[in-house]
Amino acid sequence: MSAAEKKPVKIVETILRDAHQSLIATRMPTEVMLPILSKLDQVGYYALECWGGATFDTCLRFLHEDPWERLRKIREGCPNTKLQMLFRGQNILGYRPYADDVVEYFVQRSVANGIDIIRIFDCLNDLRNLQTAVSAANKEKCHAQVALSYTLGDAYTLEYWTNIAKRIEEMGADSICIKDMAGLLVPYESEKLITAMKEATKLPIEIHTHYTSGCASMTLMKCVEAGADIIDTAISPFAMGTSQPATEVMVQTFKGTPYDTGLDLELLAEIADYFREYRDECLKTGLLNPKNLGVDIKTLLYQVPGGMLSNLTSQLKDLHAEDKYYEVLKEVPNVRNDLGQCPLVTPSSQIVGSQAVMNVIQGERYKVATKETKDMLAGKYGATVMPFNEEVRKKVIGDVEPITCRPADLIPPELDQLNKEVEPYKKQEEDVLSYALFPQVSMDYFKYRDAQQTGIDANLFDMTNTAYPV
Ligand code: CO
């Protein structure tokens, strides 16, 4: 590329979503965000990732906040910047598949409350699980981005990624994201991947990676050189470790090159100053564990996301079987292969992890199978890239005939029934959607909200003892 050919790389800032989800368990409250919104709005980011993922659940469950209200406040504070959310395909922001009417209504209300870009992914990369959300986003004239869960394995050849990119273009998406939740995308491989994908599709390509394995900023640089259009970064106090590369570093890296972002480093430094104070507070209270800030090379060695490693540790601790850690780590790829070599991301990472623990603890593989493993082998999560291990399937679900259709085709409309259930507590249209995703947690929150308004001691409704779903 000659110097005259300019191709400024676009930056998506993740401080309001993934950066704090990755480093402080999504606990940043709205009141920490509000004072800095006008500065964030002046930067000229391509977009601010600020909603979806685990933020919705955490708002209701731990922060006693209405996630919809948070979104409206961010929209008000950032009138000039596109707002982006993360959406788990047919699972929306929850942990089970929903009927199409709920998915469509959720997309509609998200856009009505301020979302401009919806990033939609599926843990199996089964595009059928994304179609309803993509079509709904198209209908709302919102940017529909399909995110591919990046993983490694025999099935995941360049041909696999380029073929699926073409299919995503055909299904009506506006852009593609490579979602590398584990930090497995290493610099030179990423260059090959992006070069091939740019040849296969005209859609803009965005890279979302995590610093867990220490490669992420080099990977982003190689991706941009290979033609990636957009990169995800986090302002420095909440960057690196299990989060994204630092925004300022990437801005400075591309300065004076054809990829120059044009963003103002001084303004970014002011934003960093603000969040550095909050970060220090998080370190003091223990919310930010310094362990999350270093390089964890095990993630490359075992090809599992950092979050999954810590889940396995705590599961084994509960079972008083910490000495089985490495045995379980060796079992993870075996289970993953039995289950069609699926990517490891919510919820497949939990399904594979728990089953691996079970197989090791029981001393016999699949002697006991979790409900989720059974559902997976019965096709209820969708199709995997490789076939299931037939022997394992027989042992776990016997003669049950697996479904081969799109799983949501078997779920009847649910919105009317949900509306009836939530009616007595409803203060806004969106309440039915909070309730659909997290019935018990939302009900507790609605009661807390009522109590606040009527002056009853709101502390009577303690929601912090509800177990957090991994
Ligand atoms: Co992420």
Side-chain angles (χ1 to χ4, degrees), residues 357-387:
V357 168
M358 209 75 99
N359 286 357
V360 168
I361 298 288
Q362 295 288 336
E364 182 192 327
R365 309 190 69 228
Y366 302 99
K367 185 176 169 190
V368 178
T370 64
K371 181 185 177 292
E372 288 76 17
T373 301
K374 288 179 190 159
D375 284 350
M376 179 89 125
L377 289 167
K380 288 186 190 169
Y381 286 89
T384 47
V385 53
M386 300 283 260

PDB file of all heavy atoms in Angstrom, residues 357-387:
ATOM      1  N   VAL A 357     -14.933 -32.508  34.069  1.00  0.00           N
ATOM      2  CA  VAL A 357     -14.796 -32.714  35.513  1.00  0.00           C
ATOM      3  C   VAL A 357     -15.497 -34.016  35.916  1.00  0.00           C
ATOM      4  O   VAL A 357     -14.939 -34.870  36.600  1.00  0.00           O
ATOM      5  CB  VAL A 357     -15.375 -31.516  36.301  1.00  0.00           C
ATOM      6  CG1 VAL A 357     -15.496 -31.838  37.782  1.00  0.00           C
ATOM      7  CG2 VAL A 357     -14.509 -30.270  36.096  1.00  0.00           C
ATOM      8  N   MET A 358     -16.733 -34.178  35.433  1.00  0.00           N
ATOM      9  CA  MET A 358     -17.535 -35.377  35.742  1.00  0.00           C
ATOM     10  C   MET A 358     -16.813 -36.644  35.308  1.00  0.00           C
ATOM     11  O   MET A 358     -16.738 -37.627  36.057  1.00  0.00           O
ATOM     12  CB  MET A 358     -18.860 -35.240  34.971  1.00  0.00           C
ATOM     13  CG  MET A 358     -20.014 -35.907  35.614  1.00  0.00           C
ATOM     14  SD  MET A 358     -20.559 -34.953  37.010  1.00  0.00           S
ATOM     15  CE  MET A 358     -21.937 -34.082  36.273  1.00  0.00           C
ATOM     16  N   ASN A 359     -16.287 -36.633  34.077  1.00  0.00           N
ATOM     17  CA  ASN A 359     -15.623 -37.831  33.537  1.00  0.00           C
ATOM     18  C   ASN A 359     -14.418 -38.235  34.382  1.00  0.00           C
ATOM     19  O   ASN A 359     -14.190 -39.427  34.602  1.00  0.00           O
ATOM     20  CB  ASN A 359     -15.165 -37.582  32.088  1.00  0.00           C
ATOM     21  CG  ASN A 359     -16.339 -37.576  31.122  1.00  0.00           C
ATOM     22  OD1 ASN A 359     -17.477 -37.811  31.513  1.00  0.00           O
ATOM     23  ND2 ASN A 359     -16.069 -37.292  29.858  1.00  0.00           N
ATOM     24  N   VAL A 360     -13.680 -37.243  34.865  1.00  0.00           N
ATOM     25  CA  VAL A 360     -12.480 -37.544  35.645  1.00  0.00           C
ATOM     26  C   VAL A 360     -12.845 -38.004  37.056  1.00  0.00           C
ATOM     27  O   VAL A 360     -12.351 -39.022  37.547  1.00  0.00           O
ATOM     28  CB  VAL A 360     -11.537 -36.320  35.690  1.00  0.00           C
ATOM     29  CG1 VAL A 360     -10.433 -36.517  36.725  1.00  0.00           C
ATOM     30  CG2 VAL A 360     -10.936 -36.069  34.308  1.00  0.00           C
ATOM     31  N   ILE A 361     -13.777 -37.280  37.674  1.00  0.00           N
ATOM     32  CA  ILE A 361     -14.161 -37.586  39.056  1.00  0.00           C
ATOM     33  C   ILE A 361     -14.808 -38.966  39.165  1.00  0.00           C
ATOM     34  O   ILE A 361     -14.553 -39.716  40.103  1.00  0.00           O
ATOM     35  CB  ILE A 361     -15.160 -36.517  39.595  1.00  0.00           C
ATOM     36  CG1 ILE A 361     -14.509 -35.143  39.621  1.00  0.00           C
ATOM     37  CG2 ILE A 361     -15.731 -36.893  40.946  1.00  0.00           C
ATOM     38  CD1 ILE A 361     -13.467 -34.960  40.687  1.00  0.00           C
ATOM     39  N   GLN A 362     -15.649 -39.320  38.187  1.00  0.00           N
ATOM     40  CA  GLN A 362     -16.362 -40.603  38.242  1.00  0.00           C
ATOM     41  C   GLN A 362     -15.449 -41.775  37.910  1.00  0.00           C
ATOM     42  O   GLN A 362     -15.815 -42.932  38.116  1.00  0.00           O
ATOM     43  CB  GLN A 362     -17.544 -40.588  37.254  1.00  0.00           C
ATOM     44  CG  GLN A 362     -18.639 -39.589  37.599  1.00  0.00           C
ATOM     45  CD  GLN A 362     -19.451 -40.026  38.809  1.00  0.00           C
ATOM     46  OE1 GLN A 362     -19.533 -41.201  39.135  1.00  0.00           O
ATOM     47  NE2 GLN A 362     -20.035 -39.052  39.493  1.00  0.00           N
ATOM     48  N   GLY A 363     -14.294 -41.464  37.306  1.00  0.00           N
ATOM     49  CA  GLY A 363     -13.376 -42.540  36.952  1.00  0.00           C
ATOM     50  C   GLY A 363     -13.834 -43.340  35.747  1.00  0.00           C
ATOM     51  O   GLY A 363     -13.203 -44.302  35.337  1.00  0.00           O
ATOM     52  N   GLU A 364     -14.973 -42.940  35.167  1.00  0.00           N
ATOM     53  CA  GLU A 364     -15.434 -43.599  33.937  1.00  0.00           C
ATOM     54  C   GLU A 364     -16.078 -42.529  33.072  1.00  0.00           C
ATOM     55  O   GLU A 364     -16.929 -41.774  33.547  1.00  0.00           O
ATOM     56  CB  GLU A 364     -16.465 -44.698  34.275  1.00  0.00           C
ATOM     57  CG  GLU A 364     -16.940 -45.446  33.043  1.00  0.00           C
ATOM     58  CD  GLU A 364     -18.167 -46.341  33.305  1.00  0.00           C
ATOM     59  OE1 GLU A 364     -18.289 -46.881  34.425  1.00  0.00           O
ATOM     60  OE2 GLU A 364     -18.996 -46.455  32.392  1.00  0.00           O
ATOM     61  N   ARG A 365     -15.680 -42.468  31.814  1.00  0.00           N
ATOM     62  CA  ARG A 365     -16.173 -41.406  30.937  1.00  0.00           C
ATOM     63  C   ARG A 365     -17.681 -41.569  30.676  1.00  0.00           C
ATOM     64  O   ARG A 365     -18.155 -42.655  30.368  1.00  0.00           O
ATOM     65  CB  ARG A 365     -15.407 -41.398  29.611  1.00  0.00           C
ATOM     66  CG  ARG A 365     -13.893 -41.387  29.800  1.00  0.00           C
ATOM     67  CD  ARG A 365     -13.166 -41.144  28.492  1.00  0.00           C
ATOM     68  NE  ARG A 365     -13.391 -39.779  28.028  1.00  0.00           N
ATOM     69  CZ  ARG A 365     -13.736 -39.458  26.796  1.00  0.00           C
ATOM     70  NH1 ARG A 365     -13.939 -40.402  25.908  1.00  0.00           N
ATOM     71  NH2 ARG A 365     -13.912 -38.199  26.465  1.00  0.00           N
ATOM     72  N   TYR A 366     -18.414 -40.505  30.858  1.00  0.00           N
ATOM     73  CA  TYR A 366     -19.860 -40.426  30.606  1.00  0.00           C
ATOM     74  C   TYR A 366     -20.685 -41.420  31.429  1.00  0.00           C
ATOM     75  O   TYR A 366     -21.795 -41.767  31.057  1.00  0.00           O
ATOM     76  CB  TYR A 366     -20.169 -40.579  29.103  1.00  0.00           C
ATOM     77  CG  TYR A 366     -19.462 -39.526  28.287  1.00  0.00           C
ATOM     78  CD1 TYR A 366     -18.260 -39.813  27.629  1.00  0.00           C
ATOM     79  CD2 TYR A 366     -19.963 -38.235  28.199  1.00  0.00           C
ATOM     80  CE1 TYR A 366     -17.586 -38.848  26.906  1.00  0.00           C
ATOM     81  CE2 TYR A 366     -19.292 -37.258  27.477  1.00  0.00           C
ATOM     82  CZ  TYR A 366     -18.101 -37.569  26.829  1.00  0.00           C
ATOM     83  OH  TYR A 366     -17.439 -36.613  26.128  1.00  0.00           O
ATOM     84  N   LYS A 367     -20.130 -41.879  32.537  1.00  0.00           N
ATOM     85  CA  LYS A 367     -20.928 -42.690  33.469  1.00  0.00           C
ATOM     86  C   LYS A 367     -22.082 -41.802  33.932  1.00  0.00           C
ATOM     87  O   LYS A 367     -23.217 -42.234  34.076  1.00  0.00           O
ATOM     88  CB  LYS A 367     -20.052 -43.104  34.661  1.00  0.00           C
ATOM     89  CG  LYS A 367     -20.735 -44.049  35.622  1.00  0.00           C
ATOM     90  CD  LYS A 367     -19.750 -44.467  36.705  1.00  0.00           C
ATOM     91  CE  LYS A 367     -20.447 -45.181  37.836  1.00  0.00           C
ATOM     92  NZ  LYS A 367     -19.508 -45.353  38.972  1.00  0.00           N
ATOM     93  N   VAL A 368     -21.758 -40.539  34.210  1.00  0.00           N
ATOM     94  CA  VAL A 368     -22.768 -39.534  34.513  1.00  0.00           C
ATOM     95  C   VAL A 368     -22.629 -38.413  33.494  1.00  0.00           C
ATOM     96  O   VAL A 368     -21.531 -37.929  33.252  1.00  0.00           O
ATOM     97  CB  VAL A 368     -22.566 -38.958  35.938  1.00  0.00           C
ATOM     98  CG1 VAL A 368     -23.593 -37.865  36.222  1.00  0.00           C
ATOM     99  CG2 VAL A 368     -22.638 -40.061  36.976  1.00  0.00           C
ATOM    100  N   ALA A 369     -23.760 -38.020  32.890  1.00  0.00           N
ATOM    101  CA  ALA A 369     -23.718 -36.898  31.945  1.00  0.00           C
ATOM    102  C   ALA A 369     -24.602 -35.778  32.470  1.00  0.00           C
ATOM    103  O   ALA A 369     -25.657 -36.033  33.054  1.00  0.00           O
ATOM    104  CB  ALA A 369     -24.209 -37.348  30.577  1.00  0.00           C
ATOM    105  N   THR A 370     -24.162 -34.551  32.302  1.00  0.00           N
ATOM    106  CA  THR A 370     -24.991 -33.428  32.755  1.00  0.00           C
ATOM    107  C   THR A 370     -26.185 -33.270  31.812  1.00  0.00           C
ATOM    108  O   THR A 370     -26.171 -33.762  30.678  1.00  0.00           O
ATOM    109  CB  THR A 370     -24.200 -32.101  32.740  1.00  0.00           C
ATOM    110  OG1 THR A 370     -23.846 -31.806  31.383  1.00  0.00           O
ATOM    111  CG2 THR A 370     -22.940 -32.192  33.583  1.00  0.00           C
ATOM    112  N   LYS A 371     -27.210 -32.561  32.280  1.00  0.00           N
ATOM    113  CA  LYS A 371     -28.386 -32.308  31.446  1.00  0.00           C
ATOM    114  C   LYS A 371     -27.957 -31.583  30.166  1.00  0.00           C
ATOM    115  O   LYS A 371     -28.445 -31.862  29.073  1.00  0.00           O
ATOM    116  CB  LYS A 371     -29.385 -31.448  32.222  1.00  0.00           C
ATOM    117  CG  LYS A 371     -30.645 -31.173  31.418  1.00  0.00           C
ATOM    118  CD  LYS A 371     -31.604 -30.217  32.101  1.00  0.00           C
ATOM    119  CE  LYS A 371     -32.802 -29.928  31.210  1.00  0.00           C
ATOM    120  NZ  LYS A 371     -32.459 -29.161  30.011  1.00  0.00           N
ATOM    121  N   GLU A 372     -27.010 -30.654  30.318  1.00  0.00           N
ATOM    122  CA  GLU A 372     -26.559 -29.866  29.172  1.00  0.00           C
ATOM    123  C   GLU A 372     -25.839 -30.736  28.141  1.00  0.00           C
ATOM    124  O   GLU A 372     -26.009 -30.549  26.938  1.00  0.00           O
ATOM    125  CB  GLU A 372     -25.647 -28.727  29.631  1.00  0.00           C
ATOM    126  CG  GLU A 372     -26.373 -27.593  30.350  1.00  0.00           C
ATOM    127  CD  GLU A 372     -26.764 -27.920  31.789  1.00  0.00           C
ATOM    128  OE1 GLU A 372     -26.191 -28.896  32.359  1.00  0.00           O
ATOM    129  OE2 GLU A 372     -27.640 -27.236  32.344  1.00  0.00           O
ATOM    130  N   THR A 373     -25.036 -31.688  28.628  1.00  0.00           N
ATOM    131  CA  THR A 373     -24.366 -32.605  27.693  1.00  0.00           C
ATOM    132  C   THR A 373     -25.407 -33.406  26.924  1.00  0.00           C
ATOM    133  O   THR A 373     -25.308 -33.586  25.707  1.00  0.00           O
ATOM    134  CB  THR A 373     -23.419 -33.567  28.453  1.00  0.00           C
ATOM    135  OG1 THR A 373     -22.457 -32.792  29.159  1.00  0.00           O
ATOM    136  CG2 THR A 373     -22.710 -34.513  27.511  1.00  0.00           C
ATOM    137  N   LYS A 374     -26.431 -33.868  27.649  1.00  0.00           N
ATOM    138  CA  LYS A 374     -27.505 -34.636  26.979  1.00  0.00           C
ATOM    139  C   LYS A 374     -28.186 -33.789  25.905  1.00  0.00           C
ATOM    140  O   LYS A 374     -28.428 -34.249  24.796  1.00  0.00           O
ATOM    141  CB  LYS A 374     -28.546 -35.095  28.009  1.00  0.00           C
ATOM    142  CG  LYS A 374     -28.047 -36.205  28.905  1.00  0.00           C
ATOM    143  CD  LYS A 374     -29.110 -36.610  29.917  1.00  0.00           C
ATOM    144  CE  LYS A 374     -28.505 -37.540  30.963  1.00  0.00           C
ATOM    145  NZ  LYS A 374     -29.282 -37.589  32.192  1.00  0.00           N
ATOM    146  N   ASP A 375     -28.502 -32.527  26.279  1.00  0.00           N
ATOM    147  CA  ASP A 375     -29.171 -31.637  25.326  1.00  0.00           C
ATOM    148  C   ASP A 375     -28.298 -31.365  24.110  1.00  0.00           C
ATOM    149  O   ASP A 375     -28.782 -31.326  22.973  1.00  0.00           O
ATOM    150  CB  ASP A 375     -29.520 -30.300  26.002  1.00  0.00           C
ATOM    151  CG  ASP A 375     -30.722 -30.423  26.925  1.00  0.00           C
ATOM    152  OD1 ASP A 375     -31.384 -31.495  26.887  1.00  0.00           O
ATOM    153  OD2 ASP A 375     -31.010 -29.480  27.678  1.00  0.00           O
ATOM    154  N   MET A 376     -27.029 -31.163  24.365  1.00  0.00           N
ATOM    155  CA  MET A 376     -26.093 -30.905  23.271  1.00  0.00           C
ATOM    156  C   MET A 376     -26.083 -32.085  22.300  1.00  0.00           C
ATOM    157  O   MET A 376     -26.212 -31.920  21.091  1.00  0.00           O
ATOM    158  CB  MET A 376     -24.694 -30.684  23.859  1.00  0.00           C
ATOM    159  CG  MET A 376     -23.654 -30.433  22.810  1.00  0.00           C
ATOM    160  SD  MET A 376     -23.537 -28.686  22.442  1.00  0.00           S
ATOM    161  CE  MET A 376     -21.807 -28.465  22.731  1.00  0.00           C
ATOM    162  N   LEU A 377     -25.970 -33.311  22.853  1.00  0.00           N
ATOM    163  CA  LEU A 377     -25.922 -34.510  22.012  1.00  0.00           C
ATOM    164  C   LEU A 377     -27.267 -34.778  21.346  1.00  0.00           C
ATOM    165  O   LEU A 377     -27.344 -35.486  20.346  1.00  0.00           O
ATOM    166  CB  LEU A 377     -25.489 -35.730  22.848  1.00  0.00           C
ATOM    167  CG  LEU A 377     -24.020 -35.706  23.274  1.00  0.00           C
ATOM    168  CD1 LEU A 377     -23.739 -36.755  24.339  1.00  0.00           C
ATOM    169  CD2 LEU A 377     -23.099 -35.933  22.067  1.00  0.00           C
ATOM    170  N   ALA A 378     -28.325 -34.198  21.879  1.00  0.00           N
ATOM    171  CA  ALA A 378     -29.649 -34.352  21.269  1.00  0.00           C
ATOM    172  C   ALA A 378     -29.905 -33.242  20.235  1.00  0.00           C
ATOM    173  O   ALA A 378     -31.001 -33.115  19.707  1.00  0.00           O
ATOM    174  CB  ALA A 378     -30.731 -34.330  22.344  1.00  0.00           C
ATOM    175  N   GLY A 379     -28.889 -32.419  19.985  1.00  0.00           N
ATOM    176  CA  GLY A 379     -29.019 -31.388  18.947  1.00  0.00           C
ATOM    177  C   GLY A 379     -29.728 -30.130  19.388  1.00  0.00           C
ATOM    178  O   GLY A 379     -30.034 -29.257  18.575  1.00  0.00           O
ATOM    179  N   LYS A 380     -29.994 -29.995  20.700  1.00  0.00           N
ATOM    180  CA  LYS A 380     -30.819 -28.874  21.154  1.00  0.00           C
ATOM    181  C   LYS A 380     -30.094 -27.530  21.149  1.00  0.00           C
ATOM    182  O   LYS A 380     -30.715 -26.486  21.319  1.00  0.00           O
ATOM    183  CB  LYS A 380     -31.373 -29.162  22.552  1.00  0.00           C
ATOM    184  CG  LYS A 380     -32.456 -30.221  22.516  1.00  0.00           C
ATOM    185  CD  LYS A 380     -33.100 -30.412  23.877  1.00  0.00           C
ATOM    186  CE  LYS A 380     -34.013 -31.636  23.872  1.00  0.00           C
ATOM    187  NZ  LYS A 380     -34.427 -31.986  25.230  1.00  0.00           N
ATOM    188  N   TYR A 381     -28.768 -27.559  21.048  1.00  0.00           N
ATOM    189  CA  TYR A 381     -28.024 -26.295  20.931  1.00  0.00           C
ATOM    190  C   TYR A 381     -27.733 -25.941  19.477  1.00  0.00           C
ATOM    191  O   TYR A 381     -27.263 -24.849  19.193  1.00  0.00           O
ATOM    192  CB  TYR A 381     -26.709 -26.363  21.710  1.00  0.00           C
ATOM    193  CG  TYR A 381     -26.901 -26.292  23.207  1.00  0.00           C
ATOM    194  CD1 TYR A 381     -27.096 -27.433  23.960  1.00  0.00           C
ATOM    195  CD2 TYR A 381     -26.908 -25.055  23.849  1.00  0.00           C
ATOM    196  CE1 TYR A 381     -27.283 -27.363  25.336  1.00  0.00           C
ATOM    197  CE2 TYR A 381     -27.088 -24.973  25.224  1.00  0.00           C
ATOM    198  CZ  TYR A 381     -27.276 -26.134  25.957  1.00  0.00           C
ATOM    199  OH  TYR A 381     -27.454 -26.053  27.321  1.00  0.00           O
ATOM    200  N   GLY A 382     -27.991 -26.906  18.573  1.00  0.00           N
ATOM    201  CA  GLY A 382     -27.724 -26.670  17.163  1.00  0.00           C
ATOM    202  C   GLY A 382     -26.698 -27.654  16.644  1.00  0.00           C
ATOM    203  O   GLY A 382     -26.337 -28.620  17.322  1.00  0.00           O
ATOM    204  N   ALA A 383     -26.245 -27.379  15.415  1.00  0.00           N
ATOM    205  CA  ALA A 383     -25.331 -28.297  14.746  1.00  0.00           C
ATOM    206  C   ALA A 383     -23.886 -27.905  15.013  1.00  0.00           C
ATOM    207  O   ALA A 383     -23.556 -26.729  15.056  1.00  0.00           O
ATOM    208  CB  ALA A 383     -25.601 -28.292  13.249  1.00  0.00           C
ATOM    209  N   THR A 384     -23.034 -28.919  15.175  1.00  0.00           N
ATOM    210  CA  THR A 384     -21.601 -28.677  15.375  1.00  0.00           C
ATOM    211  C   THR A 384     -20.876 -28.891  14.047  1.00  0.00           C
ATOM    212  O   THR A 384     -21.415 -29.529  13.134  1.00  0.00           O
ATOM    213  CB  THR A 384     -21.031 -29.643  16.429  1.00  0.00           C
ATOM    214  OG1 THR A 384     -21.495 -30.963  16.132  1.00  0.00           O
ATOM    215  CG2 THR A 384     -21.499 -29.255  17.817  1.00  0.00           C
ATOM    216  N   VAL A 385     -19.645 -28.401  13.979  1.00  0.00           N
ATOM    217  CA  VAL A 385     -18.917 -28.473  12.712  1.00  0.00           C
ATOM    218  C   VAL A 385     -18.512 -29.911  12.384  1.00  0.00           C
ATOM    219  O   VAL A 385     -18.566 -30.342  11.241  1.00  0.00           O
ATOM    220  CB  VAL A 385     -17.716 -27.495  12.713  1.00  0.00           C
ATOM    221  CG1 VAL A 385     -16.827 -27.696  13.912  1.00  0.00           C
ATOM    222  CG2 VAL A 385     -16.921 -27.590  11.426  1.00  0.00           C
ATOM    223  N   MET A 386     -18.177 -30.706  13.404  1.00  0.00           N
ATOM    224  CA  MET A 386     -17.868 -32.129  13.211  1.00  0.00           C
ATOM    225  C   MET A 386     -19.015 -32.938  13.814  1.00  0.00           C
ATOM    226  O   MET A 386     -19.701 -32.458  14.706  1.00  0.00           O
ATOM    227  CB  MET A 386     -16.569 -32.488  13.948  1.00  0.00           C
ATOM    228  CG  MET A 386     -15.349 -31.732  13.491  1.00  0.00           C
ATOM    229  SD  MET A 386     -14.686 -32.339  11.940  1.00  0.00           S
ATOM    230  CE  MET A 386     -13.338 -33.336  12.557  1.00  0.00           C
ATOM    231  N   PRO A 387     -19.207 -34.184  13.331  1.00  0.00           N
ATOM    232  CA  PRO A 387     -20.272 -35.004  13.943  1.00  0.00           C
ATOM    233  C   PRO A 387     -19.935 -35.361  15.397  1.00  0.00           C
ATOM    234  O   PRO A 387     -18.776 -35.333  15.782  1.00  0.00           O
ATOM    235  CB  PRO A 387     -20.295 -36.267  13.074  1.00  0.00           C
ATOM    236  CG  PRO A 387     -19.087 -36.235  12.234  1.00  0.00           C
ATOM    237  CD  PRO A 387     -18.481 -34.865  12.261  1.00  0.00           C
TER     238      PRO A 387
END
